[in-house]
Amino acid sequence: MTSATREKELKPRVEITQISGTEIEVNMGPHHPSTHGVIRFILFIDGEIVVRAVPDVGYLHRSIEKIAESMPYSFFMPYTDRVDYVAAINCNLGYALAIEAMGGLEVPERATWLRMIGVELNRIMSHLVGVGALPLDLGAFTPFVHALREREHMMDLLEILTGTRMNNNYIRFGGVCQDVDDEFLKKLEKYLDHFVLFLEEYDRLIGTNKIFIERLKNVGIVSGEKALSYSFSGPNLRASGIGLDLRKVDPYCFYNDMKFDVPVGKGIKGTVGDSFDRYIVRIEEMAECEKILRQILSKIKEGPIQSKVPKKLVLPAGEAYHHTESARGELGYHIISDGKSASPYRIKIRTGSFASMTSLAEIFKGMMVADVIAYFASLDIVAPEVDR
Amino acid sequence: MSLYHEMPENIFVTSVDQLLGWSRKHSLWWLLFGLACCSIELMHTGGPRADIERFGSAPRGTPRQADLIIIAGTLTYKMASRLKLLYEQMAEPKYVISMGSCSNCGGLFDKAYSVVKGVDQIMPVDVYLPGCPPRPEALLEALVILQKKIQKEKYLRK
Amino acid sequence: MTQFIYMFIFAVIYLLSIAVAAGFLTVVERRIAGRMQSRIGPNRVGPQGIVQWIADAVKALQKEDIIPTDAHSFLFKIAPYLVFMGVFLTLVPIPFGAYTLMENLDTGIFYVLAMASFVVIGVMMGGWASNNKWSLLGGMRSAAQMISYEVPAALAVFVVVVMAGTLNFQKIVFSQGASPVDWYVFRNPFAFIAFNIFFIAALAEGNRVPFDIPEAESELVSGYNTEYSGMRFLFFFLAEWGNLVVIGALVSTLFFGGWNFWFEYTLEFSVPGRYPIRFEVLGFLWFLFKVSIFVFIIIWIRWTLPRLRIDQLMDICWKYMVPIGLFASIGILLWMYFVPEKSLADTIMRYSMTSFGGLTILYFFYRVFQNLRVTKAKIYANPFV
Amino acid sequence: MKDGIFLCIAAVTVFGALVTAFSRSIINAALGLLLALVAIAGLYIFLSADFVAVSQILIYVGGVMVLLLFGIMLTSGGDNIFSNNPIMGAVPATLITTIFGLLGIYVVNTSGLTFYQGAYRATTRDIGHFLLREYILPFELVSVLIVVLIVGAGVMLRKELVIVRQAPQKKEGKK
Amino acid sequence: MTTYLKNIWEASATVFEGMAITFSYLLQRPITVQYPDRLKEPVPKTLPKNYRGRLMVDTELCTACALCQKACPIDVIEMKGARTERKKGLTLIYFNIYHGKCMYCNLCVEACPAEEGDEEAHHTAIYFKKDFEGSGYELKDLVEQFIPREEAIQRLKEAEETAAKRAAKAAAESAPAEPKKEGNA
């Protein structure tokens, strides 16, 4: 592409400021087919163009952080599932790692491998919702259902691994709650063979589609610098061209033994950091997850799954912050313990979606209503992660 | 339906009622509406494995055209007024399924200061469904139970 | 007087059959969509769910008829009927057989283009009268879209009209033959282009994906029909699916030989009573088959593609379809002038175009079976068995 | 029978026209106009001018009315605009109607125009014939006029609009 | 001009490709499991061994130790154990589980000390049954009483009697020592 045509495409759609002068205030959400979950924007539109937007959060504020203060550390584990229900085990892991780091608990090797299987499977499932809901919001229903079908298969796997389809509450301090047999590992391997083919087909079905590309390219461009200033993390940050992955940068579990690439947005269809990049980064990341899972399968060994943990866990006084790479970016648990009681003094959860929300008001300006949907869907925001 | 208020019970009315009930139970269009965790399982119920559309239940984006609202997830006080509004916007006859623990009674968030302890505090509920979240099959079971209830309803002699 | 009574009865029969066809199509669409998404779709009501639409319709009758307080109640009430009327009126001149048609209008295709404007007015009224901002946006988008796409549609129709030399549907059908070689779509490249343009423009006028932005579910909730419930919504619903039949019928009449079956309709048949009834029935069924294929394609497109943005939609209309349509309409004039009918060049072009069409379909099925082979490898139904 | 239908359509036309003239709500006036235009198409059909009738619907209903409705509906509170035009007073209206009515009757009586009484005959072919053979010059002149109109409208619109184009980089800087 | 034609070509080619994929799904079997009636085998049988369905109690096995009640973060389990003459340890008086509130977190099962069965049929006294059907028209339908109400009242009476007996016995045993105690105090 020559620079001249590039320049032409970079220009935003015509912004008409003097034709009518009347803004219509429309309310999008909290119930609206495109706001997954309950997020609300108030859009001030002039014709089809958004003049300004006011995001309104809190419709799913369940005071999870406050509840944590009233119960023992181990009781809080099921609540972390609900922080990000699409990637529940990721949230389990972050909490467990934070507590283990603070309390100096041992984790057996097999338990870590199992945790990683759960986390990576869950990451794929979460990304499937992301890349599935994006075409859904652009009007294509079928790819979404195909993604759901793959999720069903994965939920079957998770069901064997953890016992439930969603909100697994799988990870315990110092281990996991149940073991699996070799049959599961074989099934997982078989499934991964299938999944590669699915990804390829999915990309042909929707990812290469001209209309889909036209709807996403050069929409909602977030440059790397800007993404950092919004404190983006995870796939959204990587789509903006910054290859920051906590699994590489600050490895936990056995991620430093794993060989995988960090997919980065390259702007193959438009500009670096546009909505299409956010889509393609997620697709590539799923392929990387598949690689990681295969390596785990080749390395996992028999052994105990739970170490000894005191029944009444009292953490030493002090505070700790532990972050992991969740499906929606950096998931950090900041835990403060007073050293006396069995419940935390304060827990603060840092989530990726909330950081993504901060960009909306600014990016929405000058967009068309249809692009608002596309940009919002490409961020893959889940409501409870915003509100908690 | 004031005309029918005084209608005596006879074979004609009963069989018409049966037909009306049959049509209502087989065409429960549900509102595309999810609150929290259960909304994912709600999507899966519309998805390929469970396929709620087998029962003739299509998703609708707007409350006016929906017959069934599935309260899928935790209801907060901030959302409650909105939900009430949505419910009131739906056209009669309308049905409510309370899906999952949170909407049944607050569930694991009954300690939270911001969560409504049960959706039945703001609107009538037809079927309560346990689970956190319930499997798609469980939601289908709730739908089947709701269908039974609808078939027994007497639309003409309310 | 009796003439009017006959007309009335005929109209009622037409109305009922279009309503039944539209209702049935909703079920068919849901079933096809289900299969494309590896689901089943409605299959509980009646054998394989074929009477699902009766349940839907009877339910819609029982629903409360809501008219929002701030709505303009008269317009709100009248809009669905206007839309349905627009769709129904377009059916009047379309021939389903040599005698199975309401009125052989001389203005034919021109009349169809005109009647479509009632749909525009109805949709705008519905959107505005609802007093809902999303509805208003939907109605306005819809009107802009329909008006714009009437231009390429008219250009494409122009090509056919030039080739047939008439606006009358029956004469257009006569001037095409029964075999694919005689169909207008395969006569010459310009007609083929015109077919594509007309089909796409018809999709856009019918508000179907990828042009369904007026009722874009994820953007505008449900577009102009957001506030409608029960019976009034049913009319929008019927109009939408009735429109599918209209589009299918128009395309197959204009470009695919209409009801022409393997036999030729000659002059001797035009004497009343000489035309065998079995020919009429066979022609009718053949036409229905063509229509259902196009309806299937429209449904299929809907469940495959995402929708366009409004400015892209207008771009496609004004930057692509209108220039190409102009090109085709000038090209057809030159073609008609330089290549007389039944000349060698004309015959060669017909056969090569037909084989081109056939090859495209063959290649398509080749791709389909390639996909199937891949999916077989991935153990389709359950990856764990 | 035929006369009855004719009278019905004529009555609808007059009713539509009256609504247009006397309605105080602008949206109702537009609706009245719509009704009148459609009814006039019906009258054309009675005059065996089917092509003109269809053109009437295509142009006035499909084009003019849609634009009118656009204008009314997109201006804020279209329903609340009440016309308050002194020309709508009864006296001038009666005067104008009478003058035009008399003129009409005079024209019909003196020009020798008669209603077409024979069986229905398709007019499309004749119209095409006239337009492209005998009246080709006026036809072409009209098309030139339309082209001028379109170009002129485009030019005028370009002057009216202030189009602000900004590259996204600049916007970032502003932040 | 090239971009113009390229755009048209790309659009038609990718649409063609996508439509080929969706068409290929028309020729394949759907994966739908036709719950509830048209099934090859009931859904619970297809679930894995450790599936967390409905929370159930084996009242025979239960020792009424109330550990599960303590392990539950949200008080789903309502139970009481007391001594009766039925068996040696504690007897269950009543055991109610509020399914409508349960969050299926497995914490109570992990806390349960009473276990039974071999590797295959292993289960604890409180366990998750591979069953998920439990919808009801009213909220109270979702409370499952594992000891029926009449039985529970009966047991409560027995427990009271036993307690009274034990108290009497204890009183009788400690009666002679009573003055001594007082003296000590």
Side-chain angles (χ1 to χ4, degrees):
Chain A
M1 198 187 278
T2 60
S3 61
T5 47
R6 192 65 174 278
E7 183 72 12
K8 214 173 174 184
E9 287 200 348
L10 270 178
K11 277 180 183 166
R13 270 165 297 291
V14 186
E15 193 181 311
I16 300 167
T17 49
Q18 293 191 356
I19 184 163
S20 63
T22 46
E23 294 174 2
I24 310 180
E25 181 188 343
V26 293
N27 175 26
M28 199 174 209
H31 160 253
H32 187 275
S34 80
T35 57
H36 321 170
V38 279
I39 295 167
R40 175 178 173 219
F41 330 114
I42 305 160
L43 301 179
F44 294 88
I45 57 173
D46 183 356
E48 285 275 340
I49 291 160
V50 178
V51 181
R52 67 203 157 91
V54 183
D56 184 5
V57 300
Y59 285 96
L60 196 52
H61 174 61
R62 305 192 276 195
S63 58
I64 288 177
E65 289 169 2
K66 192 73 191 164
I67 290 174
E69 295 164 17
S70 67
M71 54 174 52
Y73 289 103
S74 62
F75 278 17
F76 186 58
M77 189 58 90
Y79 288 87
T80 59
D81 285 328
R82 276 84 180 168
V83 171
D84 179 0
Y85 46 72
V86 191
I89 302 184
N90 281 287
C91 294
N92 281 178
L93 181 72
Y95 181 59
L97 286 180
I99 297 286
E100 281 155 10
M102 222 173 154
L105 301 175
E106 293 276 306
V107 184
E109 196 187 331
R110 186 176 172 82
T112 308
W113 287 123
L114 287 176
R115 285 176 174 190
M116 280 170 71
I117 289 180
V119 163
E120 292 304 318
L121 262 180
N122 224 313
R123 193 188 311 277
I124 296 181
M125 284 167 65
S126 166
H127 283 347
L128 274 177
V129 170
V131 299
L134 182 52
L136 175 70
D137 285 350
L138 303 184
F141 197 67
T142 303
F144 176 63
V145 183
H146 284 201
L148 279 187
R149 188 188 66 225
E150 297 310 307
R151 266 180 68 90
E152 286 280 359
H153 297 329
M154 291 192 185
M155 279 185 165
D156 280 353
L157 288 170
L158 271 192
E159 217 169 60
I160 303 172
L161 181 70
T162 69
T164 53
R165 289 159 59 88
M166 275 180 67
N167 292 357
N168 316 76
N169 188 24
Y170 179 51
I171 295 173
R172 300 282 181 275
F173 302 144
V176 293
C177 81
Q178 63 186 40
D179 202 354
V180 286
D181 46 9
D182 288 344
E183 206 184 327
F184 167 78
L185 302 178
K186 272 179 206 141
K187 275 185 180 176
L188 178 57
E189 192 158 16
K190 213 169 169 184
Y191 179 72
L192 290 178
D193 295 343
H194 161 92
F195 184 70
V196 180
L197 291 169
F198 164 75
L199 264 190
E200 187 263 347
E201 191 199 77
Y202 190 82
D203 210 34
R204 268 193 299 134
L205 172 61
I206 189 76
T208 56
N209 191 300
K210 180 81 174 161
I211 300 174
F212 186 70
I213 294 171
E214 286 292 327
R215 280 296 303 273
L216 291 181
K217 72 172 190 193
N218 293 329
V219 167
I221 304 163
V222 184
S223 64
E225 198 186 318
K226 218 171 173 184
L228 281 177
S229 76
Y230 288 134
S231 72
F232 272 20
S233 56
N236 291 340
L237 178 64
R238 291 194 281 276
S240 300
I242 296 176
L244 183 90
D245 191 330
L246 291 176
R247 290 173 295 175
K248 282 269 193 212
V249 178
D250 185 10
Y252 48 94
C253 291
F254 295 142
Y255 277 113
N256 42 6
D257 298 346
M258 300 284 121
K259 288 188 187 68
F260 64 99
D261 301 327
V262 178
V264 173
K266 297 183 193 74
I268 45 172
K269 299 290 178 195
T271 327
V272 176
D274 61 1
S275 298
F276 189 78
D277 270 355
R278 280 186 282 278
Y279 163 79
I280 206 77
V281 158
R282 285 197 170 82
I283 290 278
E284 283 169 3
E285 211 160 281
M286 280 195 271
E288 296 301 325
C289 288
E290 186 260 345
K291 275 190 214 161
I292 297 174
L293 277 171
R294 277 189 201 280
Q295 291 172 43
I296 296 171
L297 285 178
S298 66
K299 287 185 175 169
I300 188 167
K301 287 200 259 334
E302 289 291 318
I305 55 157
Q306 178 76 46
S307 66
K308 270 209 119 15
V309 176
K311 257 209 164 143
K312 190 176 178 225
L313 187 68
V314 179
L315 295 184
E319 53 188 287
Y321 178 78
H322 196 283
H323 56 186
T324 53
E325 179 74 23
S326 171
R328 282 180 185 69
E330 181 180 336
L331 177 81
Y333 283 89
H334 187 177
I335 298 171
I336 306 176
S337 165
D338 56 4
K340 279 172 276 181
S341 65
S343 47
Y345 179 73
R346 172 90 166 92
I347 287 187
K348 165 85 179 85
I349 309 170
R350 184 252 188 253
T351 52
S353 291
F354 186 71
S356 306
M357 277 297 277
T358 56
S359 71
L360 297 184
E362 194 166 332
I363 300 278
F364 278 179
K365 264 183 209 165
M367 269 184 167
M368 299 184 80
V369 176
D371 285 345
V372 163
I373 313 279
Y375 175 69
F376 183 70
S378 77
L379 285 178
D380 190 16
I381 288 175
V382 165
E385 253 209 349
V386 178
D387 300 336
R388 298 189 291 280
Chain B
M1 282 296 140
S2 56
L3 190 90
Y4 297 108
H5 267 302
E6 304 301 319
M7 218 171 204
E9 196 161 331
N10 58 35
I11 293 171
F12 173 74
V13 173
T14 318
S15 52
V16 169
D17 247 348
Q18 291 242 322
L19 171 75
L20 296 182
W22 170 84
S23 74
R24 260 177 295 138
K25 85 171 186 186
H26 281 301
S27 167
L28 281 169
W29 293 355
W30 51 281
L31 182 62
L32 263 179
F33 170 70
L35 284 164
C37 323
C38 292
S39 65
I40 299 282
E41 288 294 49
L42 183 61
M43 287 197 282
H44 275 272
T45 314
R49 174 82 61 86
D51 189 15
I52 200 171
E53 202 167 13
R54 285 183 291 130
F55 299 94
S57 304
R60 296 300 317 175
T62 153
R64 300 276 189 218
Q65 292 148 20
D67 314 297
L68 171 65
I69 180 167
I70 300 171
I71 319 290
T74 321
L75 182 65
T76 57
Y77 284 115
K78 188 171 181 184
M79 189 64 200
S81 57
R82 299 312 187 105
L83 185 63
K84 179 98 180 140
L85 190 66
L86 267 184
Y87 177 73
E88 278 161 2
Q89 278 175 342
M90 285 165 68
E92 291 278 357
K94 52 193 169 188
Y95 303 97
V96 182
I97 289 182
S98 154
M99 180 185 183
S101 301
C102 297
S103 62
N104 284 345
C105 62
L108 70 165
F109 293 106
D110 70 345
K111 290 189 183 78
Y113 56 83
S114 56
V115 172
V116 179
K117 314 294 183 291
V119 74
D120 50 357
Q121 296 188 359
I122 63 163
M123 59 168 80
V125 176
D126 289 289
V127 174
Y128 294 90
L129 171 58
C132 190
R135 287 179 73 82
E137 280 91 348
L139 180 55
L140 290 185
E141 194 228 349
L143 187 79
V144 171
I145 285 182
L146 180 61
Q147 284 186 340
K148 279 181 193 154
K149 184 178 180 177
I150 293 171
Q151 183 69 76
K152 278 186 215 142
E153 263 178 15
K154 287 168 181 149
Y155 181 78
L156 294 183
R157 283 159 289 141
K158 259 187 295 204
Chain C
M1 190 64 202
T2 42
Q3 195 198 351
F4 284 110
I5 290 171
Y6 275 129
M7 267 170 74
F8 185 73
I9 291 171
F10 213 67
V12 168
I13 291 173
Y14 245 65
L15 197 67
L16 284 180
S17 47
I18 188 72
V20 169
F24 188 67
L25 272 180
T26 62
V27 184
V28 169
E29 162 143 14
R30 285 161 79 177
R31 288 295 299 233
I32 291 175
R35 283 305 287 268
M36 281 177 181
Q37 300 164 352
S38 26
R39 310 188 275 122
I40 293 180
N43 71 342
R44 293 290 157 140
V45 196
Q48 294 299 317
I50 50 168
V51 288
Q52 176 69 48
W53 59 279
I54 297 182
D56 287 342
V58 177
K59 181 212 71 182
L61 288 173
Q62 298 168 61
K63 293 289 279 183
E64 186 187 358
D65 181 23
I66 294 178
I67 296 167
T69 328
D70 296 333
H72 191 294
S73 78
F74 179 67
L75 288 192
F76 188 82
K77 281 177 193 162
I78 204 174
Y81 307 121
L82 211 57
V83 170
F84 186 70
M85 184 185 88
V87 171
F88 179 65
L89 282 178
T90 48
L91 268 178
V92 169
I94 297 173
F96 284 79
Y99 295 103
T100 319
L101 82 166
M102 265 180 101
E103 186 65 57
N104 188 11
L105 286 182
D106 199 54
T107 39
I109 181 69
F110 193 54
Y111 168 86
V112 169
L113 291 177
M115 288 307 144
S117 46
F118 281 111
V119 181
V120 184
I121 299 252
V123 165
M124 278 178 80
M125 278 183 180
W128 182 80
S130 300
N131 194 29
N132 177 327
K133 285 160 188 164
W134 293 121
S135 298
L136 179 69
L137 268 179
M140 292 303 146
R141 278 179 173 195
S142 180
Q145 170 183 341
M146 284 176 174
I147 292 178
S148 307
Y149 274 85
E150 261 176 27
V151 176
L155 284 173
V157 164
F158 175 76
V159 170
V160 173
V161 170
V162 166
M163 283 169 83
T166 175
L167 294 172
N168 189 321
F169 273 115
Q170 217 48 312
K171 285 180 188 160
I172 290 175
V173 173
F174 290 151
S175 59
Q176 305 179 61
S179 76
V181 188
D182 292 332
W183 292 348
Y184 275 158
V185 60
F186 294 136
R187 283 276 176 92
N188 54 52
F190 304 109
F192 186 74
I193 292 172
F195 157 66
N196 283 311
I197 287 178
F198 184 78
F199 190 62
I200 295 170
L203 279 186
E205 283 201 55
N207 290 338
R208 298 290 294 187
V209 171
F211 307 104
D212 69 332
I213 54 162
E215 44 197 285
E217 212 149 74
S218 54
E219 292 164 29
L220 304 184
V221 186
S222 197
Y224 55 83
N225 58 34
T226 301
E227 293 285 343
Y228 282 88
S229 68
M231 199 58 211
R232 298 186 199 284
F233 171 64
L234 203 68
F235 271 94
F236 277 128
F237 210 62
L238 279 182
E240 192 180 337
W241 268 273
N243 216 348
L244 290 194
V245 181
V246 172
I247 294 171
L250 277 179
V251 169
S252 35
T253 309
L254 291 179
F255 295 97
F256 286 84
W259 47 265
N260 264 324
F261 203 42
W262 52 270
F263 46 84
E264 290 291 326
Y265 185 92
T266 50
L267 264 183
E268 67 171 304
F269 286 148
S270 60
V271 181
R274 294 290 291 278
Y275 188 64
I277 188 81
R278 65 172 193 280
F279 281 12
E280 178 75 21
V281 172
L282 282 175
F284 180 69
L285 291 179
W286 179 229
F287 185 71
L288 275 196
F289 174 70
K290 285 177 185 169
V291 171
S292 53
I293 281 188
F294 285 107
V295 169
F296 170 71
I297 291 177
I298 296 168
I299 291 173
W300 178 16
I301 287 177
R302 166 162 185 184
W303 293 100
T304 306
L305 297 181
R307 74 173 69 88
L308 291 156
R309 211 197 296 134
I310 181 98
D311 61 325
Q312 289 168 348
L313 187 100
M314 290 299 164
D315 272 7
I316 284 186
C317 181
W318 295 108
K319 288 190 186 158
Y320 288 86
M321 284 169 61
V322 171
I324 294 173
L326 285 171
F327 165 73
S329 50
I330 292 169
I332 192 73
L333 293 175
L334 295 176
W335 179 269
M336 299 276 289
Y337 188 75
F338 288 113
V339 185
E341 210 165 316
K342 302 239 166 68
S343 69
L344 184 66
D346 182 49
T347 319
I348 291 173
M349 186 47 86
R350 283 182 186 201
Y351 278 93
S352 52
M353 286 298 293
T354 314
S355 44
F356 167 72
L359 283 178
T360 316
I361 294 170
L362 276 184
Y363 177 68
F364 172 75
F365 279 102
Y366 167 72
R367 288 297 305 164
V368 167
F369 283 105
Q370 255 187 343
N371 281 326
L372 270 182
R373 229 180 51 229
V374 174
T375 39
K376 276 226 175 83
K378 71 184 189 190
I379 324 161
Y380 175 67
N382 186 351
F384 309 126
V385 182
Chain D
M1 185 70 199
K2 234 177 168 179
D3 290 343
I5 292 178
F6 171 78
L7 285 177
C8 282
I9 294 177
V12 168
T13 316
V14 173
F15 174 72
L18 289 178
V19 169
T20 313
F22 295 115
S23 171
R24 292 186 67 78
S25 155
I26 194 160
I27 192 88
N28 287 352
L31 280 182
L33 185 59
L34 174 69
L35 197 65
L37 291 173
V38 173
I40 286 171
L43 288 182
Y44 282 137
I45 289 174
F46 260 89
L47 295 173
S48 286
D50 54 348
F51 192 84
V52 181
V54 173
S55 311
Q56 164 90 6
I57 288 180
L58 185 70
I59 292 164
Y60 283 97
V61 178
V64 174
M65 271 317 292
V66 169
L67 285 180
L68 254 172
L69 285 177
F70 250 118
I72 293 168
M73 289 175 177
L74 280 181
T75 45
S76 52
D79 202 20
N80 304 327
I81 295 175
F82 294 113
S83 48
N84 190 15
N85 200 334
I87 223 157
M88 278 198 4
V91 179
T94 323
L95 210 67
I96 290 168
T97 318
T98 322
I99 292 170
F100 273 92
L102 288 174
L103 263 175
I105 290 166
Y106 177 74
V107 165
V108 168
N109 282 342
T110 53
S111 63
L113 279 175
T114 49
F115 291 109
Y116 177 70
Q117 295 292 336
Y120 165 75
R121 192 159 55 86
T123 53
T124 318
R125 182 166 283 277
D126 299 339
I127 289 174
H129 203 274
F130 282 129
L131 278 183
L132 291 175
R133 291 273 164 81
E134 274 144 59
Y135 300 108
I136 182 83
L137 189 67
F139 182 61
E140 288 302 317
L141 282 179
V142 168
S143 65
V144 169
L145 179 72
I146 290 173
V147 168
V148 170
L149 278 177
I150 291 174
V151 172
V155 170
M156 280 168 70
L157 209 67
R158 274 188 86 80
K159 271 185 190 169
E160 286 289 317
L161 276 183
V162 177
I163 297 167
V164 182
R165 284 175 192 271
Q166 275 178 322
Q169 272 74 18
K170 275 187 191 169
K171 271 181 129 181
E172 272 167 37
K174 231 172 16 182
K175 188 212 96 192
Chain E
M1 193 64 202
T2 357
T3 15
Y4 191 82
L5 290 177
K6 209 179 119 210
N7 277 343
I8 296 172
W9 168 248
E10 267 181 10
S12 42
T14 53
V15 166
F16 186 86
E17 194 60 45
M19 286 175 74
I21 289 173
T22 39
F23 194 87
S24 76
Y25 276 91
L26 279 185
L27 305 176
Q28 291 168 6
R29 278 212 337 274
I31 67 159
T32 307
V33 177
Q34 295 218 43
Y35 182 86
D37 44 356
R38 301 176 194 172
L39 292 169
K40 282 204 194 89
E41 54 176 343
V43 173
K45 277 195 178 168
T46 62
L47 297 176
K49 196 172 64 187
N50 291 321
Y51 179 71
R52 300 185 203 152
R54 277 162 82 86
L55 197 56
M56 301 291 274
V57 176
D58 190 339
T59 47
E60 297 298 305
L61 199 58
C62 181
T63 55
C65 62
L67 279 178
C68 48
Q69 196 180 8
K70 280 173 203 148
C72 184
I74 48 174
D75 310 330
V76 163
I77 299 163
E78 190 182 46
M79 64 159 309
K80 187 180 174 170
R83 289 190 188 279
T84 61
E85 285 162 352
R86 289 184 183 224
K87 63 181 193 182
K88 217 182 155 197
L90 289 170
T91 310
L92 266 185
I93 305 298
Y94 55 86
F95 200 113
N96 302 340
I97 293 179
Y98 190 5
H99 292 300
K101 193 180 180 186
C102 178
M103 64 167 161
Y104 305 84
C105 63
N106 211 23
L107 289 178
C108 52
V109 179
E110 280 163 29
C112 185
E115 296 178 30
E116 188 185 61
D118 53 358
E119 191 76 1
E120 281 298 301
H122 170 267
H123 71 85
T124 44
I126 186 164
Y127 65 103
F128 282 107
K129 201 179 167 197
K130 289 202 289 182
D131 176 20
F132 45 81
E133 297 173 349
S135 315
Y137 295 128
E138 280 176 59
L139 210 47
K140 65 173 194 285
D141 296 350
L142 303 188
V143 182
E144 191 164 355
Q145 298 182 332
F146 287 89
I147 311 269
R149 197 178 151 76
E150 290 74 29
E151 174 77 18
I153 293 170
Q154 175 72 21
R155 284 190 186 187
L156 194 62
K157 266 182 200 160
E158 277 176 36
E160 272 166 11
E161 280 166 21
T162 320
K165 265 184 200 169
R166 284 171 68 93
K169 205 176 163 190
E173 272 174 11
S174 58
E178 227 171 324
K180 215 177 179 180
K181 255 184 186 172
E182 276 175 357
N184 277 353

